[in-house]
Amino acid sequence: MTTNETTGTPARLDYARTVPKVFRAMIALDAAARAGLDPALVELVQMRTSQLNGCAYCLDMHAKDARKAGESDERIHLLPVWPEAPAGVYSAGERAALALAEEIARIGGGVSDAVYARAAAHFTEAELAQLISVCFTVNAWNRINVATRKSPGSA
């Protein structure tokens, strides 16, 4: 058993090695969910969802991927408080996507009509379906990595 370098707690299992068919299916689902969406938007949504779900592994990975996709440090650092970020930091479409991602992550109250309509105003039906797919896929990854105590930087 390995130790989570961030928390010092023992990692529970190597998910990819233990259930390789499920892991490969998740990789394929993740790739399918992203198709046709702006890579930077996908990373913002995945980072914000990972923040809400407390998944340090995914947050670390997606922050690195966001930088590779051209994201600035300012936008990455302001993401936890995106509604209060100055005008122009995030586009109206990005704000709509982040609001949708937050309501999907906090599914207890469902997705409000206002948030859904706001997202639908910025994305085609196909893009909206892809965005919803990115949201539920990153939520699944967060749960896998939190449950198994996957350590940031261990990819």
Coordinates of all heavy atoms in Angstrom, one line a residue, residues 46-131:
Q46 N -14.0 21.3 -15.0 CA -13.4 20.2 -14.2 C -12.7 20.7 -12.9 O -12.8 20.0 -11.9 CB -12.5 19.3 -15.1 CG -13.3 18.6 -16.1 CD -12.5 17.7 -17.0 OE1 -11.4 18.0 -17.3 NE2 -13.1 16.5 -17.3
M47 N -12.0 21.8 -13.0 CA -11.4 22.3 -11.8 C -12.4 22.8 -10.8 O -12.2 22.5 -9.6 CB -10.4 23.5 -12.2 CG -9.2 23.0 -12.9 SD -7.9 24.4 -13.1 CE -8.9 25.9 -13.3
R48 N -13.4 23.5 -11.3 CA -14.4 24.0 -10.3 C -15.1 22.9 -9.6 O -15.4 22.9 -8.4 CB -15.4 25.0 -11.0 CG -16.4 25.6 -10.0 CD -15.7 26.4 -9.0 NE -16.6 26.9 -8.0 CZ -16.4 26.9 -6.7 NH1 -15.3 26.5 -6.2 NH2 -17.3 27.3 -5.8
T49 N -15.5 21.9 -10.4 CA -16.2 20.7 -9.8 C -15.3 20.0 -8.8 O -15.7 19.6 -7.7 CB -16.6 19.7 -10.9 OG1 -17.5 20.4 -11.8 CG2 -17.3 18.5 -10.4
S50 N -14.0 19.8 -9.2 CA -13.1 19.2 -8.3 C -12.9 20.0 -7.0 O -12.7 19.4 -5.9 CB -11.7 19.0 -9.0 OG -11.9 18.1 -10.1
Q51 N -12.9 21.3 -7.1 CA -12.9 22.2 -5.9 C -14.0 21.9 -5.0 O -13.9 21.7 -3.8 CB -12.8 23.6 -6.2 CG -11.6 24.1 -6.9 CD -11.7 25.5 -7.5 OE1 -12.8 26.0 -7.7 NE2 -10.5 26.1 -7.8
L52 N -15.2 21.8 -5.5 CA -16.4 21.6 -4.8 C -16.5 20.2 -4.1 O -17.0 20.0 -3.0 CB -17.7 21.8 -5.6 CG -17.9 23.2 -6.2 CD1 -19.0 23.2 -7.2 CD2 -18.2 24.2 -5.0
N53 N -15.9 19.2 -4.8 CA -15.9 17.9 -4.4 C -14.7 17.5 -3.5 O -14.6 16.4 -3.0 CB -16.0 16.9 -5.5 CG -17.4 16.9 -6.2 OD1 -18.4 17.2 -5.6 ND2 -17.4 16.6 -7.5
G54 N -13.8 18.4 -3.3 CA -12.6 18.2 -2.5 C -11.7 17.2 -3.0 O -11.0 16.4 -2.3
C55 N -11.5 17.2 -4.4 CA -10.6 16.2 -5.0 C -9.3 16.9 -5.4 O -9.2 17.5 -6.5 CB -11.3 15.5 -6.2 SG -10.3 14.3 -6.9
A56 N -8.3 16.8 -4.5 CA -7.1 17.4 -4.7 C -6.4 16.9 -6.0 O -5.7 17.6 -6.7 CB -6.2 17.3 -3.5
Y57 N -6.5 15.6 -6.2 CA -5.8 14.9 -7.3 C -6.3 15.6 -8.6 O -5.6 16.0 -9.5 CB -6.0 13.4 -7.3 CG -5.5 12.8 -8.6 CD1 -4.1 12.5 -8.7 CD2 -6.3 12.5 -9.7 CE1 -3.6 11.9 -9.8 CE2 -5.8 12.0 -10.8 CZ -4.5 11.7 -10.9 OH -4.0 11.1 -12.1
C58 N -7.7 15.6 -8.8 CA -8.2 16.1 -10.0 C -8.0 17.6 -10.2 O -7.7 18.1 -11.3 CB -9.7 15.8 -10.1 SG -10.1 14.1 -10.3
L59 N -8.1 18.3 -9.1 CA -7.8 19.8 -9.2 C -6.4 20.0 -9.6 O -6.2 20.9 -10.5 CB -8.0 20.4 -7.8 CG -7.8 21.9 -7.7 CD1 -8.6 22.7 -8.8 CD2 -8.1 22.4 -6.3
D60 N -5.4 19.3 -9.1 CA -4.0 19.5 -9.5 C -3.9 19.1 -11.0 O -3.3 19.9 -11.7 CB -3.2 18.6 -8.6 CG -1.7 18.6 -9.0 OD1 -1.1 19.7 -8.9 OD2 -1.2 17.6 -9.4
M61 N -4.4 18.0 -11.4 CA -4.3 17.6 -12.8 C -4.9 18.6 -13.7 O -4.3 18.9 -14.7 CB -4.9 16.2 -12.9 CG -4.8 15.7 -14.4 SD -5.6 14.0 -14.6 CE -7.3 14.5 -14.4
H62 N -6.1 19.0 -13.4 CA -6.8 19.9 -14.4 C -6.3 21.3 -14.4 O -6.3 22.0 -15.4 CB -8.3 19.9 -14.1 CG -9.0 18.6 -14.4 ND1 -8.9 18.0 -15.7 CD2 -9.6 17.6 -13.6 CE1 -9.5 16.8 -15.6 NE2 -9.9 16.6 -14.4
A63 N -5.7 21.7 -13.3 CA -5.0 23.0 -13.3 C -3.8 23.0 -14.2 O -3.5 23.9 -15.0 CB -4.6 23.4 -11.9
K64 N -3.0 21.9 -14.2 CA -1.9 21.7 -15.1 C -2.4 21.6 -16.5 O -1.8 22.3 -17.4 CB -1.1 20.5 -14.7 CG -0.4 20.6 -13.4 CD 0.2 19.3 -13.0 CE 0.9 19.4 -11.6 NZ 1.4 18.1 -11.0
D65 N -3.5 20.9 -16.8 CA -4.0 20.8 -18.1 C -4.6 22.1 -18.6 O -4.5 22.5 -19.8 CB -5.1 19.7 -18.2 CG -4.5 18.3 -18.0 OD1 -3.3 18.1 -18.1 OD2 -5.3 17.4 -17.8
A66 N -5.1 22.9 -17.7 CA -5.7 24.2 -18.1 C -4.5 25.1 -18.5 O -4.7 25.9 -19.5 CB -6.4 24.8 -16.9
R67 N -3.4 25.1 -17.8 CA -2.3 25.9 -18.2 C -1.8 25.5 -19.6 O -1.5 26.3 -20.5 CB -1.2 25.8 -17.2 CG -1.4 26.6 -16.0 CD -0.2 26.6 -15.0 NE -0.5 27.4 -13.9 CZ -1.1 27.0 -12.7 NH1 -1.3 25.7 -12.6 NH2 -1.3 27.8 -11.7
K68 N -1.8 24.2 -19.9 CA -1.4 23.7 -21.2 C -2.4 24.1 -22.3 O -2.0 24.3 -23.4 CB -1.3 22.1 -21.2 CG -0.1 21.6 -20.4 CD -0.2 20.1 -20.4 CE 0.8 19.5 -19.4 NZ 0.6 18.1 -19.2
A69 N -3.6 24.3 -21.9 CA -4.7 24.7 -22.8 C -4.7 26.2 -23.0 O -5.5 26.8 -23.7 CB -6.1 24.2 -22.4
G70 N -3.8 26.9 -22.3 CA -3.6 28.4 -22.5 C -4.3 29.2 -21.4 O -4.3 30.4 -21.5
E71 N -4.8 28.6 -20.3 CA -5.4 29.4 -19.2 C -4.3 30.2 -18.5 O -3.2 29.7 -18.3 CB -6.1 28.4 -18.2 CG -7.5 28.0 -18.6 CD -8.4 29.2 -18.9 OE1 -8.2 30.3 -18.3 OE2 -9.3 29.0 -19.7
S72 N -4.7 31.4 -18.0 CA -3.8 32.2 -17.3 C -3.9 31.9 -15.8 O -4.9 31.3 -15.3 CB -4.2 33.7 -17.5 OG -5.5 33.9 -16.8
D73 N -2.9 32.3 -15.1 CA -2.9 32.1 -13.6 C -4.0 32.8 -13.0 O -4.6 32.4 -12.0 CB -1.5 32.5 -13.0 CG -0.4 31.5 -13.3 OD1 -0.7 30.3 -13.6 OD2 0.8 31.9 -13.1
E74 N -4.3 34.0 -13.5 CA -5.4 34.9 -12.9 C -6.7 34.1 -13.0 O -7.4 34.0 -12.0 CB -5.5 36.2 -13.7 CG -6.7 37.0 -13.2 CD -7.0 38.2 -14.0 OE1 -6.7 38.2 -15.3 OE2 -7.4 39.2 -13.5
R75 N -7.0 33.5 -14.1 CA -8.3 32.8 -14.2 C -8.3 31.6 -13.4 O -9.4 31.2 -12.8 CB -8.6 32.5 -15.7 CG -9.0 33.7 -16.5 CD -9.0 33.6 -18.0 NE -9.6 32.3 -18.5 CZ -10.9 32.2 -18.9 NH1 -11.7 33.2 -18.9 NH2 -11.3 31.1 -19.4
I76 N -7.2 30.9 -13.3 CA -7.1 29.7 -12.4 C -7.3 30.1 -11.0 O -8.0 29.4 -10.2 CB -5.8 28.9 -12.7 CG1 -5.9 28.3 -14.1 CG2 -5.6 27.8 -11.6 CD1 -4.6 27.7 -14.6
H77 N -6.6 31.1 -10.5 CA -6.6 31.5 -9.1 C -8.0 32.1 -8.7 O -8.4 32.0 -7.6 CB -5.5 32.6 -8.8 CG -4.2 32.0 -8.9 ND1 -3.7 30.9 -8.2 CD2 -3.1 32.3 -9.7 CE1 -2.5 30.6 -8.5 NE2 -2.1 31.5 -9.4
L78 N -8.7 32.8 -9.6 CA -10.0 33.4 -9.3 C -11.2 32.4 -9.4 O -12.3 32.7 -9.0 CB -10.3 34.6 -10.2 CG -9.4 35.8 -9.9 CD1 -9.7 36.9 -11.0 CD2 -9.7 36.3 -8.5
L79 N -10.9 31.2 -9.9 CA -12.0 30.2 -10.1 C -12.8 29.9 -8.9 O -14.0 29.8 -9.0 CB -11.4 28.9 -10.7 CG -12.4 27.9 -11.3 CD1 -13.3 28.5 -12.3 CD2 -11.7 26.7 -11.8
P80 N -12.2 29.8 -7.7 CA -13.1 29.5 -6.5 C -14.1 30.6 -6.3 O -15.1 30.4 -5.6 CB -12.1 29.4 -5.4 CG -10.8 29.1 -6.0 CD -10.8 29.7 -7.3
V81 N -13.8 31.8 -6.7 CA -14.7 33.0 -6.5 C -15.2 33.6 -7.8 O -15.4 34.8 -8.0 CB -14.1 34.0 -5.6 CG1 -13.9 33.5 -4.2 CG2 -12.8 34.5 -6.2
W82 N -15.4 32.7 -8.9 CA -15.7 33.2 -10.2 C -16.9 34.2 -10.2 O -16.9 35.1 -11.0 CB -15.9 32.0 -11.2 CG -17.1 31.2 -10.9 CD1 -17.1 30.0 -10.1 CD2 -18.4 31.4 -11.4 NE1 -18.4 29.5 -10.1 CE2 -19.2 30.3 -10.8 CE3 -19.0 32.4 -12.2 CZ2 -20.6 30.2 -11.1 CZ3 -20.4 32.3 -12.4 CH2 -21.1 31.2 -11.9
P83 N -18.0 34.0 -9.4 CA -19.1 35.0 -9.5 C -18.7 36.4 -9.2 O -19.2 37.3 -9.7 CB -20.1 34.4 -8.6 CG -19.8 33.0 -8.4 CD -18.3 32.9 -8.5
E84 N -17.6 36.5 -8.3 CA -17.2 37.8 -7.9 C -16.0 38.4 -8.7 O -15.5 39.5 -8.5 CB -16.8 37.8 -6.4 CG -17.9 37.6 -5.4 CD -18.3 36.1 -5.3 OE1 -17.5 35.2 -5.5 OE2 -19.5 35.9 -5.1
A85 N -15.5 37.6 -9.6 CA -14.4 38.0 -10.5 C -14.8 39.2 -11.3 O -15.9 39.3 -11.7 CB -13.9 36.8 -11.4
P86 N -13.8 40.1 -11.6 CA -14.2 41.3 -12.3 C -14.7 40.9 -13.7 O -14.4 39.9 -14.3 CB -12.8 42.0 -12.5 CG -12.0 41.4 -11.4 CD -12.4 40.0 -11.1
A87 N -15.5 41.8 -14.2 CA -16.1 41.6 -15.6 C -15.0 41.4 -16.6 O -13.9 42.1 -16.5 CB -16.9 42.9 -16.0
G88 N -15.2 40.5 -17.5 CA -14.2 40.3 -18.5 C -13.2 39.1 -18.2 O -12.5 38.6 -19.0
V89 N -13.1 38.7 -16.9 CA -12.2 37.6 -16.5 C -12.8 36.3 -17.1 O -12.1 35.5 -17.7 CB -12.0 37.5 -15.0 CG1 -11.2 36.2 -14.7 CG2 -11.3 38.7 -14.5
Y90 N -14.1 36.1 -16.9 CA -14.8 34.9 -17.5 C -15.9 35.4 -18.4 O -16.6 36.4 -18.1 CB -15.4 34.0 -16.4 CG -14.3 33.5 -15.4 CD1 -14.2 34.1 -14.2 CD2 -13.5 32.5 -15.8 CE1 -13.3 33.6 -13.3 CE2 -12.5 32.1 -14.9 CZ -12.4 32.6 -13.6 OH -11.5 32.2 -12.8
S91 N -16.0 34.8 -19.6 CA -17.1 35.2 -20.5 C -18.5 34.8 -20.0 O -18.6 34.0 -19.0 CB -16.9 34.5 -21.9 OG -17.2 33.1 -21.8
A92 N -19.5 35.3 -20.5 CA -20.9 35.0 -20.1 C -21.1 33.5 -20.3 O -21.7 32.8 -19.5 CB -21.9 35.8 -20.9
G93 N -20.6 32.9 -21.4 CA -20.7 31.5 -21.6 C -20.0 30.7 -20.6 O -20.5 29.6 -20.1
E94 N -18.8 31.1 -20.2 CA -18.0 30.4 -19.2 C -18.7 30.5 -17.8 O -18.8 29.5 -17.1 CB -16.6 31.0 -19.1 CG -15.7 30.6 -20.3 CD -14.5 31.4 -20.3 OE1 -14.4 32.6 -19.7 OE2 -13.5 30.9 -20.9
R95 N -19.3 31.6 -17.5 CA -20.0 31.8 -16.3 C -21.3 30.9 -16.3 O -21.6 30.3 -15.2 CB -20.4 33.3 -16.1 CG -19.2 34.1 -15.7 CD -19.6 35.6 -15.7 NE -18.5 36.5 -15.3 CZ -18.1 36.7 -14.1 NH1 -18.7 36.2 -13.1 NH2 -17.0 37.5 -13.9
A96 N -21.9 30.8 -17.4 CA -23.1 29.9 -17.5 C -22.7 28.4 -17.3 O -23.4 27.7 -16.6 CB -23.8 30.1 -18.8
A97 N -21.6 28.1 -17.9 CA -21.1 26.7 -17.7 C -20.7 26.4 -16.3 O -20.9 25.3 -15.8 CB -19.9 26.4 -18.7
L98 N -20.0 27.3 -15.7 CA -19.6 27.1 -14.3 C -20.8 27.1 -13.3 O -20.8 26.2 -12.4 CB -18.6 28.3 -13.8 CG -17.3 28.2 -14.5 CD1 -16.5 29.5 -14.3 CD2 -16.5 27.0 -14.1
A99 N -21.8 27.9 -13.6 CA -23.0 27.8 -12.7 C -23.7 26.4 -12.9 O -24.1 25.8 -11.9 CB -24.0 28.9 -13.1
L100 N -23.8 26.0 -14.1 CA -24.3 24.6 -14.4 C -23.5 23.5 -13.7 O -24.1 22.7 -13.0 CB -24.4 24.4 -15.9 CG -25.0 23.0 -16.3 CD1 -26.5 23.0 -15.9 CD2 -24.8 22.8 -17.8
A101 N -22.2 23.6 -13.8 CA -21.3 22.6 -13.2 C -21.5 22.6 -11.7 O -21.6 21.5 -11.1 CB -19.9 22.9 -13.5
E102 N -21.7 23.8 -11.1 CA -21.9 23.8 -9.6 C -23.2 23.2 -9.2 O -23.2 22.5 -8.2 CB -21.8 25.3 -9.1 CG -20.4 25.8 -9.1 CD -20.3 27.2 -8.4 OE1 -21.3 27.7 -7.9 OE2 -19.2 27.7 -8.4
E103 N -24.2 23.5 -10.0 CA -25.5 22.9 -9.6 C -25.6 21.4 -9.8 O -26.2 20.6 -9.1 CB -26.7 23.6 -10.3 CG -26.9 25.0 -9.7 CD -28.3 25.6 -10.0 OE1 -29.1 24.9 -10.6 OE2 -28.5 26.7 -9.5
I104 N -24.8 20.9 -10.8 CA -24.7 19.4 -11.1 C -23.9 18.8 -9.9 O -24.3 17.7 -9.4 CB -24.2 19.1 -12.4 CG1 -25.2 19.5 -13.5 CG2 -23.8 17.7 -12.6 CD1 -24.7 19.4 -15.0
A105 N -22.8 19.4 -9.5 CA -22.0 18.9 -8.4 C -22.8 18.9 -7.1 O -22.7 18.0 -6.3 CB -20.7 19.7 -8.3
R106 N -23.6 19.9 -6.9 CA -24.5 20.0 -5.7 C -25.9 19.5 -6.0 O -26.8 20.3 -5.7 CB -24.5 21.4 -5.2 CG -23.1 22.0 -4.8 CD -23.2 23.4 -4.4 NE -22.0 24.0 -4.0 CZ -21.6 25.2 -4.2 NH1 -22.3 26.0 -4.9 NH2 -20.4 25.6 -3.8
I107 N -26.0 18.4 -6.5 CA -27.3 17.9 -7.1 C -28.5 17.8 -6.1 O -29.6 17.7 -6.6 CB -27.0 16.5 -7.7 CG1 -28.1 16.1 -8.7 CG2 -26.9 15.4 -6.7 CD1 -28.1 17.0 -10.0
G108 N -28.2 18.0 -4.8 CA -29.3 17.9 -3.9 C -30.6 18.7 -4.2 O -31.7 18.3 -4.0
G109 N -30.4 19.9 -4.8 CA -31.5 20.7 -5.1 C -31.9 20.7 -6.6 O -32.8 21.4 -7.1
G110 N -31.1 19.8 -7.3 CA -31.4 19.8 -8.8 C -30.7 20.9 -9.5 O -30.1 21.8 -8.9
V111 N -31.0 21.0 -10.8 CA -30.5 22.1 -11.6 C -31.7 23.0 -11.8 O -32.7 22.6 -12.4 CB -29.9 21.6 -13.0 CG1 -29.5 22.8 -13.9 CG2 -28.7 20.7 -12.7
S112 N -31.5 24.3 -11.4 CA -32.6 25.2 -11.5 C -32.9 25.6 -13.0 O -32.0 25.5 -13.9 CB -32.3 26.5 -10.8 OG -31.2 27.2 -11.4
D113 N -34.2 25.9 -13.2 CA -34.6 26.4 -14.6 C -33.7 27.6 -15.0 O -33.3 27.6 -16.2 CB -36.0 26.7 -14.6 CG -36.9 25.5 -14.5 OD1 -36.5 24.3 -14.7 OD2 -38.1 25.6 -14.1
A114 N -33.4 28.5 -14.1 CA -32.7 29.7 -14.5 C -31.3 29.3 -14.9 O -30.8 29.9 -16.0 CB -32.7 30.7 -13.3
V115 N -30.6 28.5 -14.2 CA -29.2 28.1 -14.6 C -29.2 27.3 -15.9 O -28.4 27.5 -16.7 CB -28.6 27.3 -13.4 CG1 -27.3 26.6 -13.8 CG2 -28.2 28.3 -12.3
Y116 N -30.2 26.4 -16.0 CA -30.2 25.6 -17.2 C -30.5 26.5 -18.4 O -29.8 26.4 -19.5 CB -31.3 24.5 -17.1 CG -31.3 23.6 -18.3 CD1 -30.5 22.5 -18.3 CD2 -32.0 23.8 -19.4 CE1 -30.4 21.6 -19.3 CE2 -32.0 23.0 -20.5 CZ -31.2 21.8 -20.5 OH -31.1 21.0 -21.5
A117 N -31.4 27.4 -18.3 CA -31.8 28.4 -19.4 C -30.6 29.2 -19.8 O -30.3 29.5 -20.9 CB -33.0 29.2 -19.0
R118 N -29.9 29.7 -18.7 CA -28.7 30.5 -19.0 C -27.6 29.7 -19.8 O -27.1 30.2 -20.8 CB -28.1 30.9 -17.6 CG -27.0 31.9 -17.7 CD -26.7 32.4 -16.3 NE -25.3 32.8 -16.2 CZ -24.7 32.9 -15.0 NH1 -25.4 32.7 -13.9 NH2 -23.5 33.3 -14.9
A119 N -27.4 28.5 -19.4 CA -26.5 27.6 -20.2 C -27.0 27.4 -21.6 O -26.2 27.4 -22.6 CB -26.2 26.3 -19.4
A120 N -28.3 27.1 -21.7 CA -28.9 26.8 -23.0 C -28.8 28.0 -24.0 O -28.8 27.9 -25.2 CB -30.3 26.4 -22.9
A121 N -28.7 29.2 -23.4 CA -28.6 30.4 -24.2 C -27.2 30.6 -24.8 O -27.0 31.3 -25.8 CB -29.0 31.7 -23.4
H122 N -26.2 29.9 -24.2 CA -24.9 30.1 -24.6 C -24.3 28.9 -25.4 O -23.2 29.0 -26.0 CB -23.9 30.4 -23.4 CG -24.2 31.7 -22.8 ND1 -23.7 32.9 -23.4 CD2 -24.9 32.1 -21.8 CE1 -24.1 33.9 -22.6 NE2 -24.8 33.5 -21.7
F123 N -25.0 27.8 -25.4 CA -24.5 26.6 -26.0 C -25.6 26.0 -26.8 O -26.7 26.0 -26.5 CB -24.0 25.6 -24.9 CG -22.9 26.1 -24.1 CD1 -23.1 26.7 -22.8 CD2 -21.6 26.0 -24.5 CE1 -22.1 27.2 -22.1 CE2 -20.5 26.5 -23.7 CZ -20.8 27.1 -22.5
T124 N -25.2 25.4 -28.0 CA -26.1 24.6 -28.8 C -26.6 23.4 -27.9 O -26.0 23.1 -26.9 CB -25.5 24.1 -30.1 OG1 -24.5 23.1 -29.7 CG2 -24.9 25.2 -30.9
E125 N -27.7 22.8 -28.4 CA -28.2 21.6 -27.7 C -27.1 20.5 -27.6 O -26.9 19.9 -26.5 CB -29.4 21.1 -28.4 CG -30.2 20.0 -27.6 CD -31.5 19.7 -28.2 OE1 -31.5 18.7 -29.1 OE2 -32.5 20.3 -27.8
A126 N -26.4 20.3 -28.7 CA -25.3 19.3 -28.6 C -24.2 19.7 -27.7 O -23.7 18.9 -26.9 CB -24.7 19.1 -30.0
E127 N -23.8 21.0 -27.7 CA -22.8 21.4 -26.8 C -23.2 21.3 -25.3 O -22.4 20.9 -24.4 CB -22.4 22.9 -27.1 CG -21.6 23.1 -28.4 CD -21.5 24.5 -28.8 OE1 -22.4 25.4 -28.4 OE2 -20.5 24.9 -29.5
L128 N -24.5 21.6 -25.1 CA -25.0 21.6 -23.7 C -25.0 20.1 -23.2 O -24.6 19.8 -22.1 CB -26.4 22.1 -23.7 CG -27.1 22.3 -22.3 CD1 -26.2 23.0 -21.3 CD2 -28.5 22.9 -22.5
A129 N -25.4 19.2 -24.1 CA -25.3 17.8 -23.8 C -23.9 17.3 -23.5 O -23.6 16.6 -22.5 CB -25.9 16.9 -24.9
Q130 N -22.9 17.8 -24.2 CA -21.5 17.5 -24.0 C -21.1 18.1 -22.7 O -20.4 17.4 -21.9 CB -20.6 18.1 -25.1 CG -20.8 17.4 -26.5 CD -20.4 15.9 -26.5 OE1 -21.2 15.1 -27.0 NE2 -19.3 15.6 -26.0
L131 N -21.5 19.3 -22.4 CA -21.1 20.0 -21.1 C -21.7 19.2 -19.9 O -21.0 19.0 -18.9 CB -21.6 21.4 -21.1 CG -21.3 22.3 -19.9 CD1 -19.8 22.3 -19.7 CD2 -21.9 23.7 -20.1

